[in-house]
Amino acid sequence: MKTLVTTIFLFGAAIAMAQQSDLQPPLRDLAARHDLLIGCCVNTGAFRQAAAGDEPRFAALLAEQMSILTAENAMKPKALVPRRGAYDWSVADAMFDFAERHGMQVRFHTGLWHRAVPDWLEGDDVADAERARFVEQHIQRVGQRYADRMTYWDVVNEPIDPKQPDGLRETIWKQALGDDYLHKIYRWAHEAAPDVKLVVNDYGIWNGGRKTDAMYELVKGMLDAGVPVHAVGFQVHLLGGEYPDPDRFEQTLRRFTALGLEVHVTEMDVAISKYDDDLSPEQKLQRQAEVYRRILEGGLRVDGFTVFQTWGLTDRWTWVDNFIDADDAPLLFDEQYQPKPAYFAVREVLAETAAD
Ligand code: G3I
């Protein structure tokens, strides 16, 4: 599977790349002027179709415009270990091959999460000891296999719950490994992949507040305990019509860079279905563009802001349409891979501030 996918894909992308788009210089070159990696998550279905030559524009646009990729689902435990003890690395390996072929970095998402748990580990009959054994072995396997290929690793995704006394979400992993489970897991990850930057990634922390405070306490506690952590991932899913304040976002990021951490926007998308109905479709896309502009402007003011990723490449492959039953058009490129006002806003910010 892997060899076939890789061969077809690389060949397909090479052809597609021959027809360079007129979006020049590409976002990745503009972002590089800020020491910023720009990218998106890669949908498994789109990747497979591109590999089969059915979606050459997907491969071409991804390789041309982006400098970092994340698997939307292919590197989650549910996808990698569908059956007890049986790993399927094929799609993950093919995505690493594609990234390396096109000079792109890879952010590994994710080591562990309370969702996308393999079915065979979910049942009430599964003992904590078996889950604990799985975690240590899985982190070691992923780390050792990709130690030289991944730049960043979302080792544990979404661990924060500000309603809990210790600020941590109650999960089967916490139950199996104890309250200091994150310290254990990040130490295992660092042992397996000492040169990879380890990230704690969560949603709803971009705008300050209790959840941001809980994330701050978590990573400060990890650093104080000598636990290896190098960055905080701010997912920035803006699905409720939010209109962010770049100054507030900047101040939020600075709390974490003051600890010596990098800060990343890891999963940005901006749904338009919650915008005022009396806005025209064009006005909604303009507002969406302003939202992207404000987050990116806020981030670029901060030393240590090193990654900006959207959660999908084009609207054709967004998860949001399954999550909110609406046509939310949340990304930079539309269903026909055409750049939207949001793309031009991102481009302008990268080009403007690069000139300063
Ligand atoms: O692959 C199976 C398919 O075989 C099956 O027929 C189908 C119907 O059950 O499900 C398919 O798996 C789905 C998978 O996406 C691939 O499409 C899962 O049900 C579905 O739950 C999964 O949703 C993903 C979700 O994470 C849960 O893993 C979304 O695509 C993905 O965009 C979303 O991404 C998360 C980040 O990882 C973490 N941050 C939040 C973000 C949005 O929820």
Side-chain angles (χ1 to χ4, degrees):
M1 162 63 178
K2 174 197 169 195
T3 312
L4 175 63
V5 166
T6 303
T7 308
I8 293 172
F9 201 6
L10 299 180
F11 180 68
I15 294 175
M17 292 290 281
Q19 295 101 40
Q20 196 176 51
S21 81
D22 55 8
L23 303 176
Q24 303 303 326
L27 292 180
R28 61 187 292 175
D29 293 0
L30 294 172
R33 299 177 191 174
H34 304 267
D35 296 325
L36 181 74
L37 294 168
I38 188 163
C40 61
C41 78
V42 175
N43 174 280
T44 303
F47 188 73
R48 287 183 189 280
Q49 288 190 32
D54 299 335
E55 275 288 347
R57 292 174 300 171
F58 182 88
L61 192 64
L62 177 65
E64 178 190 71
Q65 295 293 323
M66 303 302 178
S67 50
I68 187 168
L69 68 79
T70 291
E72 181 171 21
N73 293 301
M75 298 182 192
K76 291 173 179 174
K78 194 176 182 80
L80 287 180
V81 208
R83 285 171 307 285
R84 182 180 272 106
Y87 274 78
D88 176 2
W89 303 103
S90 60
V91 180
D93 285 351
M95 287 188 180
F96 273 101
D97 292 346
F98 181 89
E100 288 158 5
R101 171 82 182 180
H102 299 291
M104 300 172 75
Q105 309 295 315
V106 174
R107 157 195 224 90
F108 192 98
H109 176 88
T110 177
L112 285 170
W113 186 22
H114 59 280
R115 293 179 61 193
V117 176
D119 294 341
W120 57 272
L121 266 175
E122 281 223 283
D124 295 338
D125 58 333
V126 179
D128 284 346
E130 176 169 11
R131 289 180 175 144
R133 225 177 6 261
F134 166 79
V135 171
E136 185 167 9
Q137 289 171 358
H138 183 64
I139 293 300
Q140 284 167 348
R141 283 185 177 139
V142 168
Q144 284 157 10
R145 186 179 187 90
Y146 297 122
D148 301 333
R149 305 183 80 181
M150 54 183 167
T151 304
Y152 295 105
W153 185 4
D154 287 351
V155 183
V156 175
N157 187 51
E158 300 173 13
I160 302 294
D161 177 356
K163 295 186 298 299
Q164 296 298 328
D166 60 0
L168 299 181
R169 185 189 296 267
E170 286 305 318
T171 69
I172 58 172
W173 312 122
K174 186 170 185 269
Q175 181 184 309
L177 286 162
D179 292 349
D180 63 344
Y181 83 111
L182 292 164
H183 291 205
K184 288 173 183 156
I185 294 173
Y186 278 75
R187 284 195 171 106
W188 290 332
H190 185 65
E191 277 164 33
D195 298 330
V196 176
K197 292 183 180 178
L198 308 183
V199 189
V200 185
N201 186 51
D202 218 318
Y203 65 89
I205 58 172
W206 60 277
N207 203 26
R210 285 180 59 207
K211 192 167 182 178
T212 308
D213 295 345
M215 174 63 88
Y216 180 85
E217 291 309 320
L218 168 65
V219 293
K220 186 173 185 307
M222 290 170 80
L223 292 168
D224 291 347
V227 174
V229 56
H230 308 97
V232 171
F234 296 74
Q235 293 183 9
V236 196
H237 291 289
L238 303 183
L239 310 181
E242 298 88 343
Y243 196 68
D245 171 357
D247 297 343
R248 184 179 172 100
F249 182 52
E250 173 194 351
Q251 292 318 315
T252 300
L253 296 182
R254 287 189 186 283
R255 289 181 67 187
F256 295 88
T257 55
L259 294 173
L261 296 169
E262 290 183 32
V263 287
H264 301 164
V265 168
T266 53
E267 308 185 7
M268 188 166 178
D269 39 28
V270 180
I272 61 174
S273 63
K274 297 289 187 292
Y275 287 167
D276 228 323
D277 283 340
D278 54 19
L279 291 179
S280 69
E282 295 69 28
Q283 287 171 322
K284 289 183 178 181
L285 290 177
Q286 283 305 335
R287 183 177 177 85
Q288 178 186 61
E290 278 315 297
V291 171
Y292 272 103
R293 176 193 300 278
R294 294 164 80 93
I295 288 292
L296 187 52
E297 280 177 349
L300 284 175
R301 296 174 196 161
V302 181
D303 284 345
F305 174 62
T306 53
V307 176
F308 178 84
Q309 289 184 278
T310 57
W311 201 241
L313 177 64
T314 88
D315 292 340
R316 175 181 295 219
W317 302 99
T318 177
W319 72 287
V320 176
D321 286 351
N322 298 327
F323 182 65
I324 308 172
D325 185 17
D327 180 8
D328 269 300
L331 297 166
L332 304 185
F333 297 92
D334 70 14
E335 306 241 358
Q336 283 70 43
Y337 295 83
Q338 295 310 302
K340 298 160 58 182
Y343 162 85
F344 291 104
V346 165
R347 180 182 188 80
E348 210 172 276
V349 172
L350 293 174
E352 260 168 23
T353 35
D356 292 354

